[in-house]
Amino acid sequence: MKSFKEMTREELLSLKSQLEKEYEDAKGKGLKLDMSRGKPSPAQLDLSKGFLDALSSEDTLKTEDGVDTRNYGLLDGIAEAKKLMADIMGVKPESVIVCGNASLNIMFDTVARSFSHGVNGETPWCKLDKVKFLCPAPGYDRHFRITEYFGIEMITIPMSPEGPDMDLVEKYVNNDETVKGIWCVPKYSNPQGYSYSDETVKRFAALKPAAKDFRIFWDNAYAIHHLYAEADRQDEILDILSECAKAGNPDMVYEFSSTSKVTYAGGGISAVATSDANLAWIKKSMTVQTIGYDKVNQLRHVRFFKDFDGVKAHMMKHADSMRPKFLAVLDVLEKELGGLEIGSWTNPNGGYFISFDALPGCAKAIVAKCKEAGVVLTGAGATYPYGKDPEDKNIRIAPSFPSPEEMAQATDLFVLCVKLVSIDKILETR
Amino acid sequence: MKSFKEMTREELLSLKSQLEKEYEDAKGKGLKLDMSRGKPSPAQLDLSKGFLDALSSEDTLKTEDGVDTRNYGLLDGIAEAKKLMADIMGVKPESVIVCGNASLNIMFDTVARSFSHGVNGETPWCKLDKVKFLCPAPGYDRHFRITEYFGIEMITIPMSPEGPDMDLVEKYVNNDETVKGIWCVPKYSNPQGYSYSDETVKRFAALKPAAKDFRIFWDNAYAIHHLYAEADRQDEILDILSECAKAGNPDMVYEFSSTSKVTYAGGGISAVATSDANLAWIKKSMTVQTIGYDKVNQLRHVRFFKDFDGVKAHMMKHADSMRPKFLAVLDVLEKELGGLEIGSWTNPNGGYFISFDALPGCAKAIVAKCKEAGVVLTGAGATYPYGKDPEDKNIRIAPSFPSPEEMAQATDLFVLCVKLVSIDKILETR
């Protein structure tokens, strides 16, 4: 089909009136679909059937080294859970602290601790006039909300399929001592599904921060969330902890992960992995904050999966449940928008999202038009710091919750709205 | 038996040499006993047998109003768990937020939030030159560690069987606007087991704080932890939330509680109860901190207990397990120290501790002497701010973990050490 830009005003107007009829028909259907939330579907949660039976009153509730998980103690988690989370992140168990049900909470606490008490003895951020974070974008809105909550200035860093623009990252980190951190989702990034290249990871590890207390917040949320079984469609990234150590920056990174999208989003376990010096600093405050996290649920995870192979096998079932939803979206996008030059989108090997870029200035209008016809998308702008997409073009599509059929239906309406809004945009610029 | 003070130097010296022999014999036994930790015994944890079976893969994991506990969402907890925790605290469900496995963590987060972002719009504590907390003592060392961690100046308030010295509390709170909070364990206090009288609670509710952001931190940790079945030996306290509301101070209190000492110390649920205005302020930060706490474990608690009657019946089993340990200690103390005027102790109706007051200047020496013979006690001073007992006389005895027989053994050694240290003290003052 002809690209919209090549069409004459008349062609566009006649196409528009025809599409408007389709849109009115669609509205008549009274759709109620949600493509906004990166949450597991009931079917996916059902794949963890048996999880709750992994621990019963008949089982011993002691760890291999005899710790009674029912009782107080063991601040940094049970050894078996440390091993499991370490395998998921590809790090050493001794680098890991296993926490509660949400890695977001660990990230919040890490920023909060740096704000109130500083990082490894450096000046608390609350005593500084200015603290900045680099925010590769499009990115994860909940990361940006944490830094915004603590009054940290956020600087947008463009993303590419290899990861953040490292020239810019190096320029800021190596020269500006008010830059204290950067938010990263290094594998199957939210929302684009990009995985950082080896060169990107090595350049991160080789940073020479102006600030002693600069840290990389490495949110490895989708470390094992592949969509395909084929090896050539499974991304792997370098282990940032060992790369930083090799480069002489052992303390420069905190890595986070959880089982929220492995077992239950409402009942998983989370973990942080970092250097000995950082672990010691974290524990100094953690020991004031709690006596210990839920060790019973840690043991439940270990008993259910047995080992990392168990986790990987489990995640392949997830892939089989997620893949059809992604393919349903990609199929409609390709069929309906291919060649029109009014949008581009990602085709990730894993993660939870597809990122769509409309023509500049169209995202808000597309999201609004979809909503009017009963299809909810993540708010336009949500993927950028302060919720402001400078070009108003990025839209995050979350296929995880609805069924493949619902995703196809929702995407049919989505492309219709993309076309209508794009025609108006092109006409107004003629 | 004659009081030590009435004894002549000669009498004391001969008694001492005899007791020293007993002490040497005791050391020879190679005891290894721990009276230091307020943690449940394995036998007590076994009383929750069936807890883990309360949720299986065969059960629906949805709440009564249809929320899938396996998935994300519901920041303030499932309705059934709010009801359960509200009943335990004696408040309304709509006043409650159910959180993770530790109420200590909620208290830490509450102080941390006040430090970084202030209380309901008031100036963040980190921006103030001076912040003070009142600390009724002897009290809970982990409370004091939180305020110390945030650089808050702690002021010791003497305790009586009716609660804190309210004349002093009123003097500070109503006149000093740098006083921002007070730590309270209002029922079966740690370590004395005192419960605040109705007059004390009403005087708390009637405070006229100089600081708008003054808050009472009401740690109702032992709300349902009676030691006796008889009604006349079960303490009850007034509901501080409704008393504060009646007195025109609805926002002045946060109440905390958990099931750490009801089901599993390592796998319980916790809650905070407070006014609508405070709940709104808390949620403003909580929604940045997490997507929601472990709802599956919340549901597990509700299914296991059914309702508050189930909880109360369960806690009577705890009482039957705890009572013999307390009686074993009290029996030895009375038999061995009664009338000697070298120590006094509490005989609580509930909670986890017995508080012992030695002669001034003797606590550290007694704890050290016990340790030398293999009996570990909570460090002397731990029950006071900064770990400093001004009179060096208070010792916290925790009977919960060992068996009754072990507690009797340990107390036998304890009284021996009390006698020996007291004789030295009396002699040096002659």
Side-chain angles (χ1 to χ4, degrees):
Chain A
M1 187 167 176
K2 212 193 224 171
S3 134
F4 276 25
K5 284 163 185 155
E6 297 163 356
M7 289 189 186
T8 65
R9 179 174 183 79
E10 292 59 39
E11 289 174 309
L12 287 171
L13 286 171
S14 76
L15 176 59
K16 181 182 177 186
S17 62
Q18 170 206 327
L19 293 173
E20 271 166 344
K21 289 194 198 65
E22 294 180 29
Y23 181 74
E24 289 312 312
D25 297 346
K27 271 209 290 191
K29 290 189 197 147
L31 295 176
K32 264 201 173 356
L33 297 169
D34 193 328
M35 299 200 289
S36 73
R37 297 163 310 171
K39 61 190 278 188
S41 65
Q44 183 181 321
L45 292 163
D46 289 341
L47 296 173
S48 291
K49 196 164 169 54
F51 173 61
L52 296 180
D53 313 325
L55 274 192
S56 86
S57 295
E58 302 314 315
D59 301 311
T60 170
L61 299 174
K62 288 192 172 167
T63 63
E64 281 158 21
D65 41 25
V67 174
D68 188 341
T69 57
R70 302 173 301 174
N71 219 329
Y72 284 117
L74 217 56
L75 187 65
D76 53 355
I78 67 172
E80 298 92 323
K82 285 172 136 190
K83 172 79 166 67
L84 190 73
M85 295 309 294
D87 288 342
I88 288 173
M89 289 185 276
V91 301
K92 298 199 218 71
E94 53 270 32
S95 309
V96 173
I97 298 176
V98 185
C99 302
N101 77 315
S103 56
L104 187 73
N105 202 330
I106 315 179
M107 295 179 232
F108 179 96
D109 287 353
T110 304
V111 173
R113 182 189 319 114
S114 309
F115 183 86
S116 63
H117 288 77
V119 176
N120 298 24
E122 297 298 311
T123 309
W125 296 352
C126 66
K127 305 262 183 243
L128 301 175
D129 299 332
K130 169 77 72 185
V131 173
K132 299 180 195 151
F133 255 59
L134 304 185
C135 301
Y140 181 32
D141 57 343
R142 286 183 175 271
H143 285 162
F144 304 151
R145 280 170 71 189
I146 291 174
T147 25
E148 184 170 11
Y149 179 72
F150 283 96
I152 293 169
E153 181 181 327
M154 295 183 279
I155 298 164
T156 297
I157 303 292
M159 277 290 291
S160 85
E162 282 66 48
D165 177 336
M166 291 310 293
D167 296 337
L168 210 52
V169 170
E170 288 162 355
K171 178 175 150 295
Y172 278 109
V173 174
N174 298 351
N175 299 296
D176 184 346
E177 70 169 355
T178 68
V179 172
K180 303 296 189 184
I182 180 169
W183 288 116
C184 296
V185 181
K187 193 168 179 180
Y188 301 137
S189 67
N190 175 355
Q192 291 161 308
Y194 293 152
S195 297
Y196 293 9
S197 68
D198 291 357
E199 194 206 337
T200 298
V201 177
K202 285 176 182 295
R203 285 179 73 176
F204 263 110
L207 286 168
K208 298 273 162 281
K212 272 210 199 101
D213 51 352
F214 168 82
R215 293 292 185 269
I216 301 163
F217 287 65
W218 198 256
D219 184 2
N220 206 349
Y222 307 104
I224 52 176
H225 299 64
H226 308 292
L227 283 171
Y228 300 89
E230 301 73 21
D232 66 331
R233 290 218 63 181
Q234 296 192 345
D235 298 357
E236 292 308 338
I237 59 169
L238 291 177
D239 167 28
I240 186 72
L241 264 66
S242 49
E243 289 301 323
C244 283
K246 270 187 266 173
N249 288 320
D251 303 334
M252 194 169 61
V253 60
Y254 307 115
E255 180 168 1
F256 308 94
S257 192
S258 82
T259 64
S260 295
K261 297 185 180 78
V262 177
T263 51
Y264 291 159
I269 57 176
S270 64
V272 56
T274 191
S275 70
D276 294 348
N278 291 343
L279 287 175
W281 183 257
I282 290 170
K283 285 183 192 171
K284 260 180 74 169
S285 67
M286 203 175 262
T287 190
V288 180
Q289 184 172 21
T290 182
I291 305 176
Y293 294 98
D294 187 333
K295 294 187 298 294
V296 177
N297 202 32
Q298 291 175 20
L299 186 64
R300 183 178 292 112
H301 278 74
V302 173
R303 295 278 175 85
F304 179 59
F305 288 121
K306 307 284 187 292
D307 54 27
F308 187 43
D309 287 336
V311 176
K312 285 187 285 189
H314 180 74
M315 293 311 288
M316 273 303 108
K317 297 185 203 158
H318 277 218
D320 293 338
S321 154
M322 290 279 262
R323 202 183 317 111
K325 306 162 189 252
F326 276 72
L327 294 177
V329 176
L330 293 166
D331 178 56
V332 174
L333 291 175
E334 188 51 50
K335 220 164 51 247
E336 294 295 323
L337 300 181
L340 299 189
E341 296 179 51
I342 55 172
S344 60
W345 54 90
T346 58
N347 180 359
N349 289 336
Y352 263 58
F353 305 102
I354 291 168
S355 179
F356 184 89
D357 279 339
L359 295 176
C362 291
K364 275 197 171 59
I366 292 167
V367 171
K369 216 165 179 56
C370 284
K371 188 171 185 198
E372 193 187 330
V375 170
V376 179
L377 289 158
T378 308
T383 55
Y384 280 80
Y386 308 106
K388 295 196 189 74
D389 176 356
E391 293 190 87
D392 184 30
K393 69 176 194 184
N394 185 252
I395 295 171
R396 187 183 81 165
I397 298 173
S400 59
F401 192 75
S403 69
E405 299 64 33
E406 292 171 321
M407 280 314 295
Q409 261 193 311
T411 313
D412 284 334
L413 183 88
F414 174 73
V415 294
L416 189 55
C417 297
V418 171
K419 289 174 183 171
L420 280 165
V421 172
S422 303
I423 289 173
D424 289 342
K425 178 60 65 180
I426 292 166
L427 288 174
E428 89 186 24
T429 55
R430 284 266 170 98
Chain B
M1 187 170 175
K2 212 194 228 174
S3 134
F4 276 24
K5 284 166 187 152
E6 296 163 356
M7 289 191 189
T8 64
R9 180 175 181 76
E10 292 59 37
E11 289 176 308
L12 287 172
L13 285 172
S14 75
L15 176 58
K16 182 182 175 184
S17 62
Q18 169 204 326
L19 293 172
E20 272 168 344
K21 286 193 201 66
E22 293 178 28
Y23 181 71
E24 290 311 314
D25 296 346
K27 272 211 289 190
K29 290 190 196 145
L31 294 177
K32 264 199 172 354
L33 298 168
D34 194 327
M35 300 201 288
S36 73
R37 299 163 308 171
K39 60 191 278 188
S41 66
Q44 183 180 322
L45 291 163
D46 289 341
L47 295 173
S48 290
K49 195 164 170 54
F51 173 61
L52 296 180
D53 313 325
L55 274 192
S56 86
S57 295
E58 303 314 315
D59 301 312
T60 169
L61 300 174
K62 288 192 172 170
T63 65
E64 282 160 17
D65 41 25
V67 174
D68 187 340
T69 58
R70 302 172 302 174
N71 219 328
Y72 284 117
L74 218 58
L75 187 65
D76 54 355
I78 66 172
E80 298 92 325
K82 285 172 138 190
K83 173 79 166 66
L84 190 73
M85 294 309 293
D87 288 342
I88 287 174
M89 290 184 275
V91 301
K92 296 199 221 72
E94 54 269 32
S95 309
V96 173
I97 298 176
V98 185
C99 301
N101 77 315
S103 56
L104 188 73
N105 203 332
I106 315 178
M107 295 180 231
F108 178 96
D109 287 353
T110 304
V111 173
R113 183 188 316 113
S114 309
F115 183 87
S116 63
H117 289 77
V119 176
N120 298 24
E122 297 298 312
T123 309
W125 295 351
C126 66
K127 303 255 181 257
L128 301 175
D129 299 333
K130 170 75 72 186
V131 174
K132 299 180 195 150
F133 255 60
L134 305 184
C135 302
Y140 182 32
D141 57 342
R142 286 185 174 271
H143 285 161
F144 305 152
R145 280 171 73 190
I146 290 174
T147 26
E148 183 171 11
Y149 180 72
F150 283 95
I152 294 168
E153 181 182 327
M154 296 183 278
I155 297 163
T156 298
I157 302 291
M159 279 289 293
S160 83
E162 282 67 48
D165 177 338
M166 291 311 292
D167 295 337
L168 210 51
V169 169
E170 287 162 354
K171 178 174 151 296
Y172 277 109
V173 174
N174 297 351
N175 298 297
D176 184 347
E177 70 170 353
T178 69
V179 172
K180 302 297 189 185
I182 180 169
W183 289 116
C184 296
V185 181
K187 193 168 178 179
Y188 300 137
S189 68
N190 175 355
Q192 291 161 306
Y194 293 151
S195 298
Y196 293 9
S197 68
D198 291 358
E199 195 208 338
T200 297
V201 176
K202 286 176 181 295
R203 285 179 72 176
F204 263 109
L207 286 168
K208 297 275 164 279
K212 273 210 199 101
D213 51 352
F214 168 82
R215 294 292 184 270
I216 302 164
F217 287 65
W218 198 258
D219 184 2
N220 205 350
Y222 307 105
I224 52 176
H225 298 64
H226 308 291
L227 283 171
Y228 301 90
E230 300 75 19
D232 67 332
R233 289 217 63 178
Q234 296 191 347
D235 298 357
E236 292 307 337
I237 59 171
L238 291 176
D239 167 29
I240 185 73
L241 263 67
S242 50
E243 290 301 322
C244 283
K246 269 189 268 172
N249 288 320
D251 303 334
M252 195 168 59
V253 61
Y254 307 115
E255 180 168 0
F256 308 95
S257 192
S258 83
T259 64
S260 295
K261 297 186 179 77
V262 178
T263 51
Y264 291 159
I269 57 175
S270 63
V272 55
T274 190
S275 70
D276 294 348
N278 291 344
L279 287 175
W281 183 256
I282 290 171
K283 285 183 193 171
K284 259 181 73 169
S285 68
M286 203 175 262
T287 190
V288 180
Q289 186 172 20
T290 182
I291 304 175
Y293 295 98
D294 187 334
K295 295 187 297 295
V296 178
N297 202 32
Q298 291 175 20
L299 186 64
R300 183 178 292 113
H301 276 76
V302 173
R303 295 278 175 85
F304 179 59
F305 288 121
K306 307 281 185 298
D307 55 26
F308 187 43
D309 288 336
V311 176
K312 285 187 286 189
H314 181 74
M315 292 312 288
M316 273 301 109
K317 297 185 204 157
H318 276 218
D320 293 337
S321 154
M322 289 279 263
R323 202 184 317 109
K325 304 162 188 251
F326 276 73
L327 295 177
V329 175
L330 293 166
D331 179 54
V332 174
L333 290 175
E334 188 51 50
K335 218 162 52 249
E336 294 295 322
L337 299 181
L340 301 189
E341 296 180 51
I342 55 173
S344 60
W345 54 91
T346 58
N347 179 359
N349 290 336
Y352 263 56
F353 305 102
I354 290 168
S355 179
F356 183 88
D357 279 339
L359 295 176
C362 292
K364 276 196 172 60
I366 292 167
V367 171
K369 218 168 177 51
C370 284
K371 191 172 182 195
E372 194 188 330
V375 171
V376 178
L377 289 158
T378 307
T383 55
Y384 280 80
Y386 308 107
K388 296 196 186 73
D389 175 356
E391 294 188 86
D392 184 29
K393 68 177 193 183
N394 185 251
I395 295 171
R396 186 183 83 165
I397 298 173
S400 59
F401 193 75
S403 69
E405 299 65 33
E406 291 170 323
M407 280 313 295
Q409 262 192 307
T411 313
D412 284 334
L413 183 88
F414 174 73
V415 294
L416 189 55
C417 297
V418 171
K419 289 174 183 172
L420 278 165
V421 171
S422 303
I423 289 174
D424 289 341
K425 178 59 65 179
I426 291 167
L427 287 175
E428 85 185 27
T429 57
R430 284 269 170 94

